[in-house]
């Protein structure tokens, strides 16, 4: 049997062959945080913040009544003058901006204007504590994918109730037919010699505000 035949045989076996049956998929992986990890005393939002920091993202925990001030402070800290936001971003999130122009993505802003903006502010669909990951699916407060790929700075607002412990928990909340973007820290790419370059496939700077009541 040639190598080609062997590969095709394995593909047929994986697809169930002529019988149309497929072998069972192993599901022995952890679906929730292990008891030992959950027993460290850190709650899920705190663990999310710790993992985000390990991923080189800036993170801050704020109360719901502090969110507008925190958004303004983050943008002032970046010396932002012009940002882009999804058209349905809650006005209250930007209520304390002063000296920063927010451009709503309606009609769709062209790519040159997006790339020239000082940053983007969005919400998210779900966040994962175990990996320090934010997931966007183009739903409410998130906008289209281009909004978070072209600007160099992304400020993401995560509600505490959106944070789950593990990836399987996140998948349970997500619709696989939607355009999913999984973000674990600033964008980075590495060459064969492990020389890194940030901002190749998205923002060079990620900042997250975790809103806890």
């Amino acid at each position: 049997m040639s190598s080609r035949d062997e590969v095709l045989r394995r593909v047929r076996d994986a697809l169930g062959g002529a019988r149309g049956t497929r072998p069972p998929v192993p599901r022995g992986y952890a679906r929730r945080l292990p008891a030992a990890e959950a027993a460290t005393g850190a709650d899920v939002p705190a663990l999310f913040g710790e993992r985000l920091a390990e991923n080189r993202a800036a993170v801050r925990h704020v109360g719901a009544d502090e969110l507008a001030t925190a958004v303004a402070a983050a943008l002032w800290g970046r010396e932002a003058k012009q940002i882009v936001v999804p058209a349905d971003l809650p006005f209250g999130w930007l209520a304390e901006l002063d000296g920063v122009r927010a451009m709503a993505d309606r009609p769709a802003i062209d790519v040159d204007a997006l790339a020239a903006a000082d940053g983007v502010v969005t919400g998210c669909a779900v966040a994962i504590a175990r990996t320090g990951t934010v997931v966007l699916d183009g739903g409410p407060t998130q906008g289209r994918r281009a909004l978070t790929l072209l600007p160099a700075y992304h400020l993401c607002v995560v509600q505490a109730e959106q944070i789950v412990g593990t990836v399987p928990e996140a998948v349970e909340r997500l619709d696989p037919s939607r355009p999913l973007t999984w973000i674990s820290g600033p964008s980075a790419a590495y060459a064969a010699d492990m020389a890194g370059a940030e901002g190749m496939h998205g923002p060079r700077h990620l900042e997250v505000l975790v809103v806890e009541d």
Side-chain angles (χ1 to χ4, degrees), residues 1 6 10-11 21 29 35 43 52 63-64 71 84 86 108-109 111 123 140 150-151 154 175 178 203 210-212:
M1 179 182 293
E6 174 64 15
R10 293 185 182 186
V11 171
T21 59
Y29 49 80
D43 57 16
L52 268 175
V71 168
V84 293
I109 300 170
V111 294
L150 294 176
H154 181 190
D175 180 350
R178 297 191 64 83
V210 179
V211 183
E212 301 183 70

Side-chain angles (χ1 to χ4, degrees), residues 103-131:
M103 299 187 299
D105 190 42
R106 183 184 294 164
I109 300 170
D110 65 67
V111 294
D112 290 334
L114 284 178
D118 294 316
V120 58
V121 180
T122 75
C124 74
V126 68
I128 306 167
R130 185 76 179 275
T131 59

Side-chain angles (χ1 to χ4, degrees), residues 21-54:
T21 59
R22 298 183 181 180
V25 177
R27 302 290 186 185
Y29 49 80
R31 293 176 176 270
R32 301 292 184 268
L33 288 177
E37 191 167 355
T40 59
D43 57 16
V44 171
L47 177 61
F48 173 64
E50 291 173 7
R51 295 298 165 85
L52 268 175
E54 292 173 2

Side-chain angles (χ1 to χ4, degrees), residues 31-32 44 124-129 135-137 142 158-178 180 182:
R31 293 176 176 270
R32 301 292 184 268
V44 171
C124 74
V126 68
I128 306 167
V135 185
L136 281 66
D137 66 359
Q142 299 162 64
V158 177
Q159 307 293 332
E161 60 268 21
Q162 293 179 303
I163 306 173
V164 297
T166 64
V167 171
E169 288 180 273
V171 171
E172 290 173 2
R173 295 194 182 191
L174 295 168
D175 180 350
S177 68
R178 297 191 64 83
L180 302 178
W182 299 64

Side-chain angles (χ1 to χ4, degrees), residues 1-23:
M1 179 182 293
S2 68
S3 298
R4 176 179 179 275
D5 292 336
E6 174 64 15
V7 169
L8 292 176
R9 182 191 67 77
R10 293 185 182 186
V11 171
R12 283 193 296 269
D13 289 346
L15 294 176
R19 298 185 301 278
T21 59
R22 298 183 181 180

